[in-house]
Amino acid sequence: MNKQKRFFLVVSIAVLLVLAVFITPRFIEPSTNDLSGLSLPSPPSEKVIPKVMNDIIYKEEEWTTNFTHDGAIIKNGDWYYVYSTDYMVGAPPTPGIQIRKSKDLIHWQFVGRVFDQVSSDAWEWTGGTTYWAPNVVKMNDKFYLYYSVSSVGKRTSYIGLATSDSLEGPWKDEGAVFKTQEGDGYTVNAIDPDITFDTEGQPWMVYGSYFGGIFITKIDPQTGRLVDPTEEGTLIAQRKNMSYGIEAPEIMYNPDTGYYYLTVSYEWLEDTYNVRTARSKNITGPYLDFNENDMVDPSDDSFDTGNKIVGSYAFNKDSGWFGTGHNGLLEDNGEYYLIHQGRAGEEIYWSHLHVRKIVWTEDGWPVVSPERYSGEKEQKVEEKHIIGDWEQILLPRYDDTMQTSQKLTFLSNGKIEDESGKSSWKLSGDNTLKLVIYDPGVAPDDYWEYSLKVLPGWDWENWNETLVFTGMNEEGTAIWGKKQIKGE
């Protein structure tokens, strides 16, 4: 080989080496959109579902999730049913209780109503003209529907009972189960009933509001009425006074953890409404939160009791949801779900039914998906799925205003992108994500530690498949996350 050819060969090799240095990383850098190998949910519909649809106000057959308020859920056979306060925008509601049904918890159809007017007995006691906050259970091969009628802003309230052989009716009104009024010697407000069963099959009614707190009392399984009709029961949750909102109790039992879980809603239903939870080994309490605070807390600090698992929120480029409270609970073949109402950010009087999958932390606490349910299942997640940009939302217990999302970037080297370079992430087990966030002078020992569950989900804001995470830190503060899937 002559000198000229050798020179050109050396130059060519040098050029190739230089190009390799600059080009190769682009090809070896992991894709931030990689969701390969996951079973992903399907789109809930062919096109984006608007939050506000003024053209359906008088078209009940098209209501689907619209105008759901104070919902309670039950499954019978292949169908899920939600019963809710008769609520709508732009016209006065009828006195009835709305009924919806679905076969997949995603696509809902409006069925009709329970009753068309408040019973004379309930009206004579309360002066109320609408039913509130129903709850339905099955006992003795028939269905028992509990409802509330109340004078707004007073303890003059009425919990009634109706029965039917079918979840779609017809329903027979069986009259009062429990009534309250000022000066009656009771503390409780007879509103927001939920029927739950203990491990022996004994039914209990948990009920009440900010007037006197949340109580639980035994139900006779043969009649559906109180075992002792003169006894209000045991106090299990309470806040200081009427300025400290608490209502809408539900209780579920998880045999895997051995705990009963109480959920209640704090604050005002049109904006700061949020769901809190605590647990107990006994159905009558005491119910303690993550930090072992008792849910009976009449002090000024009761804003800090209960694990907040749902609150008003907005992801990037979305108006978000206010009033995310008054939840219902469902266990279905070992899978758990939470439903609640959400009010559209652009129109706070426009309410929708939200269904969210519950997942369980390693230490036995329920947390919920940051996205509405679309058929997702927990499954094994790989590190390649985590890498990329995410949106995170914190749900602090002490701040019930709308929480907005912040960017969070997971790098391929296990680091989280920030100025310190000290924050990190690690995937363990099938779908547990551990975050260590450096926050000097604020976090315990300068680091927040989060244990999160990762699962596929549907991005309702951007209308595409995604991954989400949900969990808590070492102080019981919940965090939600959603991966940003960029267009190819």
Side-chain angles (χ1 to χ4, degrees):
M1 182 181 296
N2 60 36
K3 292 183 179 180
Q4 186 175 20
K5 288 183 178 180
R6 187 179 295 113
F7 172 77
F8 282 116
L9 180 59
V10 171
V11 170
S12 298
I13 292 172
V15 169
L16 290 173
L17 289 172
V18 170
L19 289 173
V21 170
F22 288 99
I23 294 176
T24 302
R26 299 182 185 181
F27 291 97
I28 65 173
E29 183 68 25
S31 169
T32 60
N33 281 6
D34 193 347
L35 299 181
S36 60
L38 294 173
S39 177
L40 299 165
S42 301
S45 69
E46 293 182 359
K47 58 183 180 179
V48 176
I49 302 172
K51 295 181 184 178
V52 177
M53 295 177 281
N54 291 306
D55 60 327
I56 69 163
I57 289 178
Y58 297 102
K59 300 177 181 177
E60 292 180 351
E61 69 278 4
E62 298 182 29
W63 277 8
T64 62
T65 64
N66 293 271
F67 309 134
T68 308
H69 214 264
D70 309 332
I73 188 167
I74 183 173
K75 186 182 183 185
N76 186 54
D78 294 331
W79 288 97
Y80 303 92
Y81 284 82
V82 166
Y83 295 76
S84 59
T85 299
D86 201 18
Y87 174 89
M88 65 182 298
V89 173
T94 69
I97 295 166
Q98 295 181 9
I99 310 173
R100 288 168 175 77
K101 68 179 182 180
S102 170
K103 280 196 170 182
D104 58 10
L105 295 171
I106 305 166
H107 305 95
W108 293 89
Q109 57 182 285
F110 188 81
V111 174
R113 291 178 174 82
V114 177
F115 304 135
D116 55 9
Q117 65 180 9
V118 169
S119 70
S120 59
D121 187 44
W123 183 83
E124 288 170 5
W125 181 264
T126 66
T129 58
T130 58
Y131 294 103
W132 292 352
N135 183 257
V136 184
V137 294
K138 188 174 185 179
M139 295 187 292
N140 308 318
D141 293 322
K142 65 180 177 179
F143 299 99
Y144 291 71
L145 183 149
Y146 295 78
Y147 60 81
S148 307
V149 182
S150 182
S151 296
V152 178
K154 298 180 181 178
R155 274 188 64 253
T156 305
S157 302
Y158 179 110
I159 292 176
L161 171 66
T163 59
S164 176
D165 293 326
S166 167
L167 282 171
E168 297 185 28
W171 294 88
K172 178 185 177 183
D173 190 8
E174 305 282 1
V177 172
F178 196 72
K179 301 186 289 187
T180 57
Q181 62 181 194
E182 296 302 329
D184 60 9
Y186 296 123
T187 301
V188 72
N189 185 25
I191 199 169
D192 290 1
D194 168 58
I195 306 301
T196 189
F197 296 86
D198 65 21
T199 55
E200 303 301 318
Q202 168 66 48
W204 297 75
M205 183 173 78
V206 56
Y207 68 116
S209 74
Y210 43 80
F211 273 98
I214 307 301
F215 286 73
I216 188 168
T217 187
K218 273 188 180 181
I219 292 290
D220 184 331
Q222 301 306 313
T223 66
R225 299 182 179 278
L226 272 59
V227 169
D228 184 347
T230 67
E231 177 58 48
E232 65 185 355
T234 302
L235 177 68
I236 58 173
Q238 186 182 44
R239 302 187 72 192
K240 184 177 181 180
N241 53 41
M242 286 182 59
S243 297
Y244 292 69
I246 182 173
E247 58 188 16
E250 292 250 344
I251 292 176
M252 68 176 175
Y253 180 74
N254 185 337
D256 293 330
T257 66
Y259 280 100
Y260 295 94
Y261 294 85
L262 168 70
T263 56
V264 293
S265 291
Y266 277 15
E267 301 312 325
W268 179 239
L269 58 87
E270 289 177 358
D271 43 45
T272 53
Y273 224 23
N274 65 94
V275 179
R276 309 271 176 137
T277 189
R279 68 187 183 185
S280 176
K281 289 288 186 178
N282 301 302
I283 197 167
T284 56
Y287 284 89
L288 308 181
D289 68 11
F290 181 90
N291 296 303
E292 303 204 343
N293 296 316
D294 195 318
M295 292 298 286
V296 178
D297 183 3
S299 75
D300 291 337
D301 296 327
S302 65
F303 64 86
D304 200 28
T305 58
N307 308 345
K308 185 198 288 190
I309 56 173
V310 180
S312 298
Y313 71 96
F315 280 109
N316 187 33
K317 299 179 181 179
D318 188 76
S319 64
W321 295 94
F322 289 104
T324 52
H326 202 118
N327 75 277
L329 299 168
L330 174 71
E331 184 274 329
D332 181 24
N333 294 320
E335 300 288 336
Y336 295 83
Y337 303 91
L338 180 145
I339 70 167
H340 64 87
Q341 65 215 35
R343 291 173 177 246
E346 59 266 45
E347 171 52 85
I348 65 168
Y349 298 110
W350 198 284
S351 179
H352 277 269
L353 168 67
H354 286 205
V355 180
R356 297 182 190 273
K357 184 174 177 59
I358 295 175
V359 295
W360 298 87
T361 65
E362 292 176 307
D363 49 358
W365 286 103
V367 289
V368 302
S369 173
E371 290 288 353
R372 285 170 281 169
Y373 182 69
S374 55
E376 60 268 22
K377 301 290 185 183
E378 285 189 79
Q379 55 197 270
K380 184 174 178 57
V381 175
E382 300 178 28
E383 291 184 353
K384 66 180 182 180
H385 301 137
I386 305 298
I387 298 165
D389 293 333
W390 293 65
E391 294 179 61
Q392 66 165 350
I393 294 178
L394 285 172
L395 298 175
R397 295 182 301 281
Y398 53 83
D399 182 0
D400 294 327
T401 60
M402 177 177 279
Q403 304 300 308
T404 56
S405 63
Q406 306 295 321
K407 185 178 179 182
L408 185 68
T409 300
F410 296 112
L411 305 176
S412 59
N413 61 0
K415 295 290 186 179
I416 295 174
E417 189 176 87
D418 62 15
E419 294 181 357
S420 72
K422 296 182 178 181
S423 300
S424 61
W425 66 273
K426 182 180 180 181
L427 194 60
S428 65
D430 284 343
N431 65 330
T432 299
L433 179 63
K434 304 285 189 177
L435 304 187
V436 178
I437 307 296
Y438 184 59
D439 193 4
V442 178
D445 298 323
D446 295 337
Y447 288 92
W448 294 113
E449 296 182 2
Y450 291 91
S451 180
L452 313 171
K453 289 293 183 179
V454 184
L455 64 160
W458 183 259
D459 187 333
W460 288 73
E461 291 76 27
N462 295 301
W463 212 250
N464 55 248
E465 301 158 334
T466 189
L467 279 182
V468 297
F469 65 63
T470 180
M472 297 187 294
N473 67 11
E474 67 266 49
E475 290 188 345
T477 298
I479 183 175
W480 287 350
K482 175 179 68 175
K483 190 172 186 183
Q484 296 177 336
I485 304 299
K486 301 178 177 62
E488 296 292 351

